[in-house]
Every structure is written in structure tokens, then in C-alpha cells.
Amino acid sequence: MPKIIDEGVLYISPEYRAVIHKCACGCGEKVHTPLAPTNWKLIYDGKQTSLEPSIGNWSFDCRSHYWIINSEIIWAESWSNHQVFEKRKRDRQETIEYFKSHGNKNKSHSKVTNKERNWLWIKILNFFK
């Protein structure tokens, strides 16, 4: 991943199974979304990009909450501290259940092929335009 990231650009690294971008609110914070069965899912149709689920920057001063759908920012409602706490608790439980049920069959950090790396590793998708 680059050391300096630009506003309005989504950086995708299949090798590290991660996506980074600057917060959509403009605060300048770097947002890291790990790609894994129990984290975020990247959808790219050849033109547009989406990330699921929503991005809630609860640890940032801005506390922004948004979706990236078809290369656009869709703003979501703000959450209370209680809502954030409950969601994090559910996420932890879902992660535990996922890995219990999948055992060692699913290795989310398996090797990425050279074809995948060459196709996306340094590909920068402009998702605000």
C-alpha cells in the first residue's frame, strides 16, 4: 500500500487482502478495511466498486458512517455509543461462530495468484466520480 493516499481514491491490495481510503467526510483519516469472510467484502464489476458492509468510523472524531456502493458514497445514520458497542459484540460473536463452523477449511489469507496481483495490486479506483 502506498504511504501517501489521495482523497477520493480506493486502494486495493489483494496480496494483503485489504482496502484503504481517506475518510469520505474529508477529515483526512486513513480508513483500513480488511477483506475477509468476517470483515468486508469487495465487489468490483469491471467499472464500479462496492464494499460491504457499511463503514463506521466510530474511533475517529468525525464518527462518519457510510456505504461505498457502485463507486459512490451513500451516507448512513449516525450511531450511538451503545449501538456501536452492541454491533462490535455481535461481530465478535459472528467471527467466533464462523471459524468454529469452518475450522481450518477456510484460510482467508491464502496465497494470491500472480494474475490477481498484477490485475489489482496497484490498480487505483476512483470511486467519488
Side-chain angles (χ1 to χ4, degrees):
M1 291 293 198
K3 290 183 181 185
I4 298 172
I5 61 172
D6 295 321
E7 295 274 343
V9 178
L10 197 65
Y11 296 85
I12 303 165
S13 173
E15 182 176 8
Y16 294 104
R17 298 192 184 279
V19 177
I20 62 170
H21 66 280
K22 283 202 175 177
C23 183
C25 82
C27 71
E29 292 282 354
K30 183 165 90 172
V31 179
H32 177 262
T33 49
L35 302 174
T38 59
N39 288 316
W40 281 271
K41 176 181 177 182
L42 176 72
I43 301 156
Y44 178 64
D45 68 5
K47 286 186 177 182
Q48 299 176 324
T49 305
S50 299
L51 274 176
E52 292 179 354
S54 66
I55 298 163
N57 296 317
W58 313 123
S59 61
F60 298 168
D61 288 341
C62 68
R63 294 181 58 89
S64 64
H65 185 203
Y66 52 90
W67 294 84
I68 299 175
I69 301 174
N70 296 328
S71 299
E72 291 187 32
I73 299 299
I74 309 297
W75 290 98
E77 74 283 354
S78 185
W79 283 10
S80 69
N81 288 336
H82 179 73
Q83 287 173 301
V84 172
F85 174 80
E86 290 298 320
K87 175 64 171 136
R88 286 178 175 163
K89 189 165 76 171
R90 281 193 311 274
D91 287 350
R92 280 190 298 275
Q93 188 58 40
E94 287 171 9
T95 298
I96 290 167
E97 293 303 319
Y98 176 86
F99 285 104
K100 268 188 197 175
S101 67
H102 288 79
N104 289 328
K105 293 182 286 187
N106 184 340
K107 302 237 183 217
S108 65
H109 297 291
S110 61
K111 292 235 181 226
V112 174
T113 67
N114 282 335
K115 185 176 180 181
E116 290 172 317
R117 186 175 297 111
N118 290 339
W119 180 66
L120 275 176
W121 190 74
I122 299 188
K123 182 142 181 90
I124 299 173
L125 302 172
N126 185 341
F127 61 93
F128 286 118
K129 291 186 180 175

